[in-house]
Amino acid sequence: MKTIAILNGPNLDRLGKREPEIYGRTTLADVEASLRAEFGSRAQLEFFQSNHEGALVDRIGALADARVDGIVINPGGLTHTSVVLRDALAGSALPVVEVHISNIYKREAFRHHSYTAPTAIGVITGLGIEGYFAAIRFLLQR
């Protein structure tokens, strides 16, 4: 059974409350429950969310040491600012799929650049929470 880590960055703990017109009303707990229901019999899913860059970097290092089978990451705002997160993902040597709930290319110009995307084997943007499902399906089939 594959082990896939789902990492969520800053403010994603506020899903369902923060800007629901952009991110919807589904909470992060709802996302986790739905993913476990869909994939729990086919994969071991590990979930982690932090509003702190260093905590995410530490978690990526631990996942690399544990040799998980892949990472699904929604870096939130760190997507557009964090060379440190980019370096942690690149240094992990793990397959990464980057996910964004909203279409970052339909939003403010500063959101159009991702420091983390070049470390990923794929990027899913704008499909809402379905992006998480697509990313896990991809990693399971890989």
Side-chain angles (χ1 to χ4, degrees), residues 21-68:
E21 67 281 2
I22 295 173
Y23 301 107
R25 299 208 179 274
T26 304
T27 68
L28 193 57
D30 295 336
V31 172
E32 181 176 335
S34 295
L35 293 173
R36 285 193 190 283
E38 178 74 21
F39 299 108
S41 65
R42 294 185 280 163
Q44 181 178 339
L45 302 179
E46 295 185 13
F47 294 88
F48 183 78
Q49 185 281 326
S50 181
N51 293 321
H52 305 283
E53 181 179 51
L56 289 162
V57 169
D58 290 344
R59 187 71 187 137
I60 292 165
L63 294 168
D65 291 345
R67 298 179 160 216
V68 299

Side-chain angles (χ1 to χ4, degrees), residues 60-117:
I60 292 165
L63 294 168
D65 291 345
R67 298 179 160 216
V68 299
D69 297 294
I71 294 175
V72 174
I73 187 167
N74 183 340
L78 294 174
T79 303
H80 322 291
T81 64
S82 183
V83 173
V84 173
L85 188 60
R86 177 251 173 251
D87 289 349
L89 291 167
S92 76
L94 295 171
V96 174
V97 178
E98 183 173 310
V99 171
H100 298 283
I101 295 168
S102 68
N103 182 347
I104 61 175
Y105 300 103
K106 288 183 74 176
R107 300 191 59 200
E108 304 93 338
F110 72 86
R111 295 185 195 275
H112 298 179
H113 176 74
S114 170
Y115 281 99
T116 50

